[in-house]
Amino acid sequence: MARKVYFAGSIRGGREDAQLYHELIQHIQETDIVLTEHVGSVSGSVFGSGEDYDHRIYAQDTAWLKECDLVIAECTRPSLGVGYELAYAEAHRKPVYIFYRRSEAHLSAMLAGNDYFRIFPYETKEELFELTDRILKGGE
């Protein structure tokens, strides 16, 4: 049975890894459902506007976090929103898997020092996909 995955990645904190998010989301969707596939948009359409936009985003994202079976977060690019999502997932006892490129990022102590999170440094896209496959197949 396909699981519901909440994928977290930087949006307002920087879109340098948008293509990687897109490819990883597509990879996860081969076996599971990604509730937040918009995070992998490479068209720039993830940025909305309007008076109530931020409130709608908060309501939708927290509903998805409550609904998901697990969270996969790519944390190479620091993001206040992703940090909040991870804390929210922990508070709701959702399994959280964090990935980051060790050569490009120094993970926050608030994540690295928290034994609740499963943290996986990687360097290549292939390594990231292999680690994700192990998690989704129940090997981690």
Side-chain angles (χ1 to χ4, degrees):
M1 181 176 194
R3 286 154 298 191
K4 295 177 183 175
V5 176
Y6 187 101
F7 178 82
S10 178
I11 294 178
R12 292 183 181 174
R15 297 296 291 161
E16 297 89 344
D17 284 329
Q19 183 62 41
L20 176 65
Y21 301 162
H22 176 76
E23 292 176 33
L24 181 56
I25 288 167
Q26 285 185 320
H27 184 74
I28 295 167
Q29 286 177 324
E30 291 174 10
T31 57
D32 294 284
I33 299 161
V34 177
L35 300 172
T36 53
E37 65 182 329
H38 64 281
V39 176
S41 172
V42 292
S43 69
S45 64
V46 286
F47 297 104
S49 61
E51 187 175 311
D52 197 36
Y53 183 74
D54 288 346
H55 291 98
R56 288 183 284 125
I57 292 297
Y58 174 82
Q60 180 62 75
D61 286 0
T62 54
W64 278 331
L65 281 161
K66 289 175 188 172
E67 176 186 352
C68 76
D69 297 306
L70 68 139
V71 175
I72 292 177
E74 206 299 328
C75 292
T76 301
R77 305 285 168 221
S79 166
L80 291 172
V82 171
Y84 185 90
E85 291 164 334
L86 298 177
Y88 196 92
E90 178 185 14
H92 287 85
R93 308 304 298 164
K94 302 295 181 173
V96 177
Y97 302 90
I98 297 172
F99 300 93
Y100 73 101
R101 285 188 306 285
R102 185 185 321 227
S103 64
E104 294 181 41
H106 189 73
L107 202 59
S108 166
M110 293 302 291
L111 301 179
N114 184 336
D115 291 334
Y116 183 80
F117 300 128
R118 302 288 308 269
I119 299 172
F120 301 89
Y122 74 95
E123 287 305 323
T124 67
K125 179 176 70 173
E126 293 74 24
E127 186 180 3
L128 173 61
F129 284 22
E130 288 172 19
L131 289 165
T132 304
D133 286 345
R134 266 196 275 154
I135 289 162
L136 295 173
K137 291 177 178 151
E140 285 293 332

